[in-house]
Amino acid sequence: MASSQRSWSLSSLPLDMIEEIFHRTPAESLLRSKPTCKKWYDLIKNKRFIYEHLRRSPGRSRRTDERRFLRIDKTVQIMEPVTRTRSEKPIPHELQPLENIKAMVHYDGLMLCMCSDMESRIVHLALWNPLTRRIALIQPSTRFTTSDYYGIGHGVNKYRDGYKILRFSDRRYDNHHHHHHSEVDFEIYYCETSSWRTLDDAKVDWNVDLTCHGVSVMGNMYWLAHRDVEEEEELESCILGFDFTAEKFMDVCFCPPIFDYNYLSCFGGDRLSLLQQNNDEPSLIEVWVSSKLADDGGDVSFTKYFSVVSPDLPWLHIDRSENASHPVYYIAKNKRIIAWCEGLMDDGDRLPVWIILYEIDEGGVRNQLETERHYENDYVGTFLCGYVYVPSLVPLP
C-alpha cells in the first residue's frame, strides 16, 4: 500500500490553486513560507495578491480567527484571543523608550505611531508593520506637536494611490506650546510621494474626545467628539469622520448618551461599535452598533446591540496615577465582548496590576484568563497603546 502511494507536494499544484490556498492562509504563515521557493516568494510579495489576501481578512468580514490584540509593555505583545496564545517581539528602537509611545491607529495591518518626549516636547511619527517588523519615520512639514491628532486611510484606489495620513491640531490643553502663525493645523501626508499638503479650507466644530481612540474603517477615520450646547448647558456628542477621498471632515451621526468611559471600534468591517461603562457603576456595560457607514457620512445611526448587567463585571478602564489604561476589545459573535485589559487587585501591602483576558456576554463574565501580573513600582503598562490588530503583508510605502 505504501509503495503504491505517490508523493505529493503543494508546489506541484497550478499557481492559481496555490494562490487560492494562500488566500485562506494566515499572514504569519505566509511570511514563514516566503523562503520556501521562488514561485511562492514572488506570489506572496505581489501587491495584487497582498491586497486580495487583506480583503478577505477579518477586518473585512465577520471572521475573527485572524484578529489579534496588540499591546506594548516591555515588549510588543500579540495575543490570539481564540487560542489564548501570546507571542512577544522586541519594541523597535525607533519607538523607544516605551513611555514615549502615546497613541497608535491601526489600519490594514499597519500601525501609525505617535511618540513624544514630554520633557523636550519632541514628537515623532512612524508607520510600522508589526508582522514584517518594518518601520518608517514620517518627516514633518514643519514639526509635530503634542496637540496633534492623526488618522490613516486612503482614497478610492489604495492600490494605485497609496495610503494617506491626516494631521490636525487641538490646542485646548496645550499650555506649553506657543502656536506660531506659520504652523499648519490641518494637513495630509501622501505616503506614495512622501509629501504634505495643507488643507486650507478644513474646519472642525467639535472637540475630539481625549480618552477615546480614533478608528479607521473602510479607508476613512472616525472619532468620538463633543461640543457644548450653551442653550441647554450640556455636552453634545457625535462621531466625527474624515473622508480621505474628498479630503474633508464630516459629521457622521449623533452618539448615544455618553458614559464616563467610551470605546470606539470597528464592527463587521463596515460599521462602528461603541462600548460604554461608568466609573461609579461598573456593573453595567452597554454596547451600541452603528448602521453601515457611508462615504458621505449620511444616514448613519446607532442602535443598542446589548447590555450586560452583573455585579461581577470588571472595570475595563483603570486609572494609575496620571496614566489611563485603555482596554483592547472587539465584539464577537453571539453578543460577546472579548477584552484584554488591566485590573488592580488588593494583595496586602502591594497593589499588583493583573493583565486579564475576558469573555463577557449578556449574562456577565463567562471566562477570564490572567496572562501576567506586575507590581506598580516595576510596571509601565500600555496607557493608551492597546489595539485590535489584523496581521498583514502590506509593505511600507
Side-chain angles (χ1 to χ4, degrees):
M1 180 71 177
S3 60
S4 65
Q5 289 180 339
R6 296 182 178 180
S7 62
W8 178 89
S9 71
L10 185 61
S11 300
S12 65
L13 294 176
L15 185 59
D16 58 345
M17 189 174 294
I18 293 175
E19 185 170 344
E20 183 59 33
I21 293 172
F22 280 7
H23 280 148
R24 302 166 185 263
T25 304
E28 297 99 327
S29 299
L30 291 177
L31 187 66
R32 292 192 293 267
S33 301
K34 285 177 71 174
T36 305
C37 68
K38 185 177 186 303
K39 182 165 64 173
W40 291 12
Y41 180 86
D42 291 340
L43 174 62
I44 293 170
K45 75 173 185 178
N46 181 274
K47 265 193 172 184
R48 179 190 60 80
F49 169 81
I50 289 173
Y51 284 112
E52 177 59 20
H53 183 271
L54 183 66
R55 187 186 68 82
R56 302 189 188 194
S57 73
R60 305 303 193 278
S61 70
R62 288 186 175 273
R63 292 186 294 118
T64 61
D65 293 353
E66 292 181 35
R67 289 184 183 179
R68 308 285 186 264
F69 288 154
L70 181 151
R71 60 191 300 277
I72 307 290
D73 188 354
K74 295 178 181 178
T75 59
V76 177
Q77 302 176 3
I78 298 178
M79 167 72 75
E80 298 183 24
V82 176
T83 62
R84 298 186 175 189
T85 57
R86 186 183 64 174
S87 62
E88 296 188 28
K89 300 178 181 179
I91 301 173
H93 69 85
E94 292 89 346
L95 302 182
Q96 296 184 25
L98 166 64
E99 56 268 22
N100 284 358
I101 304 175
K102 301 306 179 187
M104 295 185 187
V105 181
H106 168 262
Y107 189 67
D108 280 359
L110 302 178
M111 306 299 298
L112 180 63
C113 310
M114 174 187 169
C115 304
S116 64
D117 185 326
M118 295 308 292
E119 292 185 3
S120 66
R121 312 293 290 178
I122 296 175
V123 179
H124 300 287
L125 195 65
L127 198 58
W128 171 42
N129 185 324
L131 177 62
T132 64
R133 303 189 187 185
R134 301 286 185 180
I135 190 166
L137 294 177
I138 307 298
Q139 299 301 318
S141 58
T142 53
R143 65 168 173 166
F144 303 126
T145 77
T146 54
S147 301
D148 291 341
Y149 287 97
Y150 299 93
I152 184 171
H154 58 77
V156 174
N157 191 331
K158 66 180 171 186
Y159 179 81
R160 179 194 65 208
D161 302 326
Y163 295 93
K164 303 177 183 181
I165 295 172
L166 170 71
R167 183 192 76 83
F168 66 102
S169 295
D170 180 351
R171 309 190 187 280
R172 283 174 293 163
Y173 306 106
D174 193 0
N175 298 322
H176 303 284
H177 175 71
H178 180 65
H179 184 194
H180 298 282
H181 293 292
S182 60
E183 292 181 352
V184 177
D185 281 340
F186 302 92
E187 57 183 351
I188 282 188
Y189 181 81
Y190 301 91
C191 292
E192 287 297 301
T193 60
S194 301
S195 60
W196 289 94
R197 185 178 79 84
T198 302
L199 302 178
D200 294 319
D201 298 329
K203 183 181 179 181
V204 176
D205 296 325
W206 300 82
N207 296 319
V208 174
D209 190 299
L210 297 174
T211 63
C212 186
H213 289 325
V215 59
S216 185
V217 181
M218 298 172 60
N220 295 327
M221 277 297 302
Y222 300 90
W223 297 268
L224 177 63
H226 313 286
R227 68 181 175 191
D228 293 321
V229 182
E230 295 182 0
E231 296 81 1
E232 302 178 14
E233 296 184 353
E234 63 181 25
L235 202 64
E236 191 174 55
S237 301
C238 87
I239 299 299
L240 174 69
F242 185 82
D243 184 332
F244 276 97
T245 298
E247 298 187 348
K248 66 178 183 180
F249 287 94
M250 51 188 177
D251 296 344
V252 178
C253 66
F254 287 105
C255 286
I258 295 301
F259 282 32
D260 292 333
Y261 302 117
N262 309 275
Y263 312 112
L264 197 64
S265 188
C266 177
F267 180 84
D270 57 4
R271 287 176 282 176
L272 298 171
S273 69
L274 182 65
L275 185 150
Q276 300 179 307
Q277 186 179 37
N278 275 326
N279 193 40
D280 59 351
E281 192 182 6
S283 59
L284 170 65
I285 292 177
E286 290 191 353
V287 177
W288 299 72
V289 171
S290 76
S291 53
K292 290 186 177 181
L293 298 169
D295 290 336
D296 59 3
D299 299 323
V300 177
S301 61
F302 276 96
T303 302
K304 186 182 290 188
Y305 190 41
F306 65 97
S307 298
V308 185
V309 181
S310 171
D312 299 325
L313 284 180
W315 276 290
L316 298 182
H317 179 118
I318 63 172
D319 291 323
R320 291 181 284 103
S321 300
E322 298 177 356
N323 300 308
S325 170
H326 196 291
V328 189
Y329 87 95
Y330 65 79
I331 306 302
K333 290 181 179 179
N334 303 319
K335 297 184 177 180
R336 292 177 300 134
I337 301 166
I338 310 298
W340 196 25
C341 57
E342 300 178 1
L344 293 175
M345 307 295 290
D346 190 1
D347 187 15
D349 295 333
R350 297 181 296 178
L351 194 64
V353 179
W354 291 20
I355 314 300
I356 302 176
L357 180 67
Y358 289 103
E359 179 184 354
I360 302 170
D361 63 16
E362 291 178 282
V365 176
R366 289 307 176 203
N367 291 290
Q368 65 182 68
L369 173 68
E370 178 189 341
T371 61
E372 58 188 292
R373 187 184 303 188
H374 299 275
Y375 290 89
E376 287 198 304
N377 57 355
D378 67 353
Y379 179 60
V380 177
T382 61
F383 302 157
L384 294 175
C385 291
Y387 293 85
V388 174
Y389 157 72
V390 178
S392 83
L393 297 168
V394 171
L396 296 184

